[in-house]
Amino acid sequence: MADDAHHPPTRRRDAQDNRDRLIAAAREVFAESGFDVPLDAIARRAGVGRATLYRNFSDRYALGSAIFASNVAALEALAAAHAGRPDAFTTLLSAIIEQQIASHALVPALLTGPGAPDLHALARRMTRLLAGPLRQAQAAAAIRRDLAPSDVLSVIAMVSAAVVGAPTLAARRRRATRALQLVLDGLVPRV
C-alpha cells in the first residue's frame, strides 16, 4: 500500500477530485474535532455522499493514512522546489511541524491502528527526503554536523508532543512555534 501512496492508480478526473476533496475535508475536520469525528461530517464537508467516501476509503484509518501520504507528497514537492538551497532543511522542518499541528489527532490513533505499516513506510520516505537538505545545511554550517536524519524524526516528535492538550489550532501553533524555535536554537552550531 505504501507504493500505492507514492504511485496512485489512474482515476477519472471527477473521481480524483472527489478523493482530493475528501482528503482535504478530513484534514480539516480531524484537526478541528479529533480522529473520532463521525465520517459523515467529512463527507458533508467534502460535498460528497457516504458511498463516495467509502468507495475511496474503507475506514478512518485508510483516510488518515491518505492524509499522511498527501502530506509527504507535498513535502517532496517542497524539497524539489528548494533543492540546493541551504535553507531547504529548515523550510522542510517548518513545513513538517505545520503538518503535525494540523494532524496532531491522527498520530496516536494511526500508530495503533491497522494503517501503522503504511506510516512506517512514510516515515522512511520522510527520512530520505530530509537527508539531502540536512547534508546541505550542515555543509553550509547552518546546522550541527552531528545531527542525523533519524535525530530529525525525534525532533519532530518532541515538537509534536508540545501541542498535546492544546485546545485549539491557534494554541497548538503557538506551542509548536515556540518549541521549534527552542529546538532550532539547539541545532544551530555554536560559534
Side-chain angles (χ1 to χ4, degrees):
M1 190 165 174
D3 285 342
D4 291 344
H6 195 56
H7 301 289
T10 304
R11 301 177 195 277
R12 287 187 347 242
R13 176 76 175 161
D14 61 332
Q16 185 61 49
D17 289 346
N18 285 340
R19 181 179 171 81
D20 293 344
R21 282 199 321 270
L22 282 163
I23 292 170
R27 183 181 285 119
E28 293 170 4
V29 173
F30 286 152
E32 294 165 4
S33 303
F35 191 65
D36 294 327
V37 68
L39 294 181
D40 287 346
I42 294 168
R44 278 192 306 277
R45 175 82 56 100
V48 302
R50 289 178 62 187
T52 299
L53 184 144
Y54 287 108
R55 191 170 29 256
N56 282 279
F57 303 103
S58 58
D59 58 22
R60 69 184 64 248
Y61 295 100
L63 189 52
S65 290
I67 290 170
F68 274 94
S70 172
N71 287 353
V72 173
L75 292 170
E76 288 168 341
L78 183 64
H82 286 79
R85 291 178 42 180
D87 68 338
F89 174 74
T90 54
T91 299
L92 282 171
L93 185 59
S94 294
I96 291 167
I97 297 303
E98 185 61 32
Q99 288 178 351
Q100 293 292 340
I101 293 167
S103 301
H104 82 287
L106 296 178
V107 176
L110 291 179
L111 287 177
T112 59
D118 295 335
L119 292 181
H120 296 300
L122 291 172
R124 286 189 297 275
R125 277 175 62 193
M126 196 165 7
T127 300
R128 286 191 302 269
L129 173 73
L130 288 165
L134 176 58
R135 281 191 303 273
Q136 292 168 345
Q138 289 169 324
I143 295 294
R144 301 166 50 136
R145 290 198 179 277
D146 63 340
L147 187 70
S150 60
D151 296 330
V152 178
L153 294 180
S154 295
V155 167
I156 293 165
M158 286 186 277
V159 175
S160 295
V163 304
V164 173
T168 65
L169 185 61
R172 289 192 297 274
R173 187 165 283 116
R174 279 192 303 276
R175 285 184 185 183
T177 299
R178 178 65 178 144
L180 181 58
Q181 187 56 54
L182 292 170
V183 167
L184 285 175
D185 287 347
L187 297 181
V188 176
R190 303 226 185 263
V191 277

